[in-house]
Amino acid sequence: MQRTNSRTTAAGTWDTAYEWRAVTLLGIGFGLVGLDRWIIATLLPLGMAADLGLDVQDGGNVVGALGLAWGVLAIFSGRFSDKIGHRKVLIPAILLFSLLSGLSGMATGITSLILIRALMGSMEGSYCPTSFTAVAAASRPQRRGFNQGLQQSGFALLGLGLGPIVATQLMRVVPSWHWVFWIVAIPGFAVGALLFVVLREPAQTQGGALIGATQASGRWLEVLKSPNIVLGMLALFCAMSCVFVLSALVPTYLVDYLRLSADQMAVVTSALGFGGFFGQFGVPGLSDIFGRKVVAIVGFVGAAGSLWVFAHTGANPTMLFAWLFVVSFFCLGNVALITGPIATEAAPAGLISSAIGVVVGTGEIFGGGVAPSIAGFIGNHYGIENTLYVALIGVALGIVVSVFLRETAPRKTATAG
């Protein structure tokens, strides 16, 4: 039974307590999405690939299958949640993707692993756009970009930052990699229970009406009439091509090509998470002040330049960590900026989750699904080191796309008016 708002907020007073409870829980939930999704990248070169007979392209295909399923469900679940409400989508989604994460440890080969991870991706894709809208509905407008970025930063911190370290340390104390999947799945069940108690529908929040999330939904195709939605789809494809190629294949690149040890690989790979953590609330937060468009352009330029340097850095763990940190700061920061405030502010009234779902879904299908598979093919046939150029091409194209964005930041548009 849904929990309702038991007190009436005085006029002019914002319910900050609910705002931070919602942002915190939804952020932890999205962090667990990242942890469950990316822990496999660290486990593959630590015995999982050998046990299941997987090569580099198989690893890319596993990641790609999850991305494709995520993308398809993000498109349709966003529209679904606009109609039936957030709670009926978010709570089942987090419980089911946690269960499927644990079941990943029971895979016996490439076929079963792809099937489980694809189903898991569909649940994570369902959680994603609806959770972003729920945060927007809970957020004071002046904090919208920061809060949406802060929520998304959990993905980078838990999934890409702490995930590799958690995986390598758990491998020291458990019998095999199979156990790791079940251990990291447990927190998702607790967060699902807390969301059942805390989460409100947009109509019960102060920000729901402000973003149009409480209005009757229009036609789904109306979201494609917004130029920023179409540009956001293209820009996210560019950003995700970088993020997911690096997340999927950098651990293997570090171990097999640069010959780093497992512990060195875990520390260097964690830079993706720590850099992304700061970028995912830092970049959208800066866009609240300086504007969405200029920050997006700077983000893609910064990602491209630092990735070029990373690709030409030898087996120096300290420098590899530093440059990968910078790449992730800009690239994952732009992911949060595009899928959060840019998509939210470009959406027609009543279609917020639908708009975010379309942007996230297409970005996932091509950037998270197709790009890792292409990179895996290149790694198998032309060397793992050349996969980095797939990511580099992605962010370079992102510079061009972001030049055409329209400015929507409340501070900037108010000043212009």
Side-chain angles (χ1 to χ4, degrees), residues 381-403:
H381 293 85
Y382 302 102
I384 187 70
E385 69 277 13
N386 290 309
T387 61
L388 299 179
Y389 292 101
V390 177
L392 182 58
I393 290 170
V395 288
L397 291 174
I399 300 171
V400 179
V401 173
S402 56
V403 167

Side-chain angles (χ1 to χ4, degrees), residues 23 143-154 156-157 273-288 295 328-329 332-337 341:
V23 172
R143 291 191 289 264
R144 186 183 298 141
F146 176 83
N147 283 356
Q148 287 186 304
L150 184 62
Q151 184 229 348
Q152 293 188 51
S153 70
L157 180 63
F274 295 123
F277 169 71
F278 289 105
Q280 286 198 293
F281 66 82
V283 170
L286 289 171
S287 79
D288 284 337
V295 171
S328 188
F329 176 90
L332 272 166
N334 264 10
V335 168
L337 173 61

Side-chain angles (χ1 to χ4, degrees), residues 306-324:
S306 51
L307 181 54
W308 174 266
V309 178
F310 175 82
H312 292 82
T313 299
N316 182 329
T318 301
M319 295 307 298
L320 287 167
F321 179 95
W323 285 113
L324 196 57

Side-chain angles (χ1 to χ4, degrees), residues 5 17 28 33 37 53 101 131 137 142 224 258 299 312 327 387:
N5 190 355
I28 293 172
V33 167
R37 177 173 186 169
S101 176
S131 70
Q142 293 82 358
L224 298 179
L258 294 184
H312 292 82
V327 173
T387 61

